[in-house]
Amino acid sequence: LKPFWLKLRLNIRPLPGAPRRTKQCHVHDIAGAMPRERPETPYTEMEPESKGKRCCKATGKVCGGACCVYLLVVVLMQAALYKWATLNCSAGALTDYEYPGGGVKDLVPSNSLITEQDPRWWGSSFIASPADKQGLPEGASAGVYYRTWGPLFWTVTYQDITSKETFVIRDRPLALGGAPKNMRCGGTG
């Protein structure tokens, strides 16, 4: 018995019509069968995809496209509603402003009663009234909180008694712990 590698014979000869410099060979397999022929045009025909595979690919593309469009619509709607809710929140409107509700530092009275009004189609509003230490009302309204809906997060703005937006509170949906973000419209503090 001879080992199989001794049975392997290489027959190297130039192909007819080929230039002399390049040599191509035919390799005989172990059993000594005929040399394998090389196709003239490799990969001319491939096996067609099955109908199920084509259907899965098309369904995946349609679902992926629909998800991208849905995500784009949600993000654009959130941006538009946030812009609408904070339309009057600008530093230019609050230059040299006295902040009648709670002063420059606090913006709202330190003790307040918050009363919810009837909800509207765009969100809710809450009246902020000053209160004493026992929680009893002490005077007229100091301002109003407006809570505006958004598909990703709610936006809360505060308008004092002169209808100037002084700060904005919004959720941070991707933040750990769910802490809201508070922003002063005047850009200070």
Side-chain angles (χ1 to χ4, degrees):
L1 287 171
K2 290 183 181 179
F4 75 92
W5 60 83
L6 294 177
K7 292 181 183 179
L8 183 66
R9 293 178 295 160
L10 294 175
N11 184 8
I12 301 173
R13 59 190 160 110
L15 292 175
R20 289 216 177 256
R21 287 187 197 166
T22 60
K23 293 184 178 180
Q24 298 184 1
C25 64
H26 295 286
V27 177
H28 296 274
D29 63 2
I30 295 173
M34 295 294 294
R36 287 180 254 147
E37 293 183 19
R38 297 176 58 183
E40 292 183 23
T41 55
Y43 305 111
T44 54
E45 286 186 32
M46 295 190 74
E47 193 173 306
E49 278 186 328
S50 67
K51 189 174 184 179
K53 198 169 194 176
R54 284 193 318 261
C55 183
C56 284
K57 280 186 177 181
T59 303
K61 287 179 183 178
V62 168
C63 289
C67 286
C68 288
V69 167
Y70 177 74
L71 185 65
L72 180 67
V73 167
V74 165
V75 167
L76 289 176
M77 180 185 278
Q78 179 65 52
L81 289 170
Y82 181 77
K83 180 67 176 170
W84 178 69
T86 60
L87 201 56
N88 297 325
C89 182
S90 66
L94 298 174
T95 52
D96 300 326
Y97 188 63
E98 294 297 320
Y99 299 97
V104 177
K105 184 180 175 193
D106 292 331
L107 302 179
V108 294
S110 57
N111 289 329
S112 298
L113 290 176
I114 299 176
T115 308
E116 183 178 8
Q117 296 178 324
D118 290 332
R120 306 270 173 101
W121 64 270
W122 47 265
S124 306
S125 60
F126 304 86
I127 297 175
S129 303
D132 59 10
K133 291 184 180 188
Q134 287 77 27
L136 299 172
E138 233 179 25
S141 168
V144 179
Y145 291 95
Y146 289 101
R147 185 175 178 220
T148 306
W149 177 83
L152 299 176
F153 55 83
W154 290 85
T155 304
V156 178
T157 56
Y158 178 76
Q159 288 185 1
D160 61 14
I161 54 173
T162 61
S163 296
K164 299 236 184 202
E165 286 186 8
T166 55
F167 64 91
V168 176
I169 305 169
R170 71 168 179 89
D171 290 333
R172 293 186 299 175
L174 299 179
L176 294 175
K181 182 171 184 171
N182 303 326
M183 300 167 285
R184 292 176 71 123
C185 293
T188 60

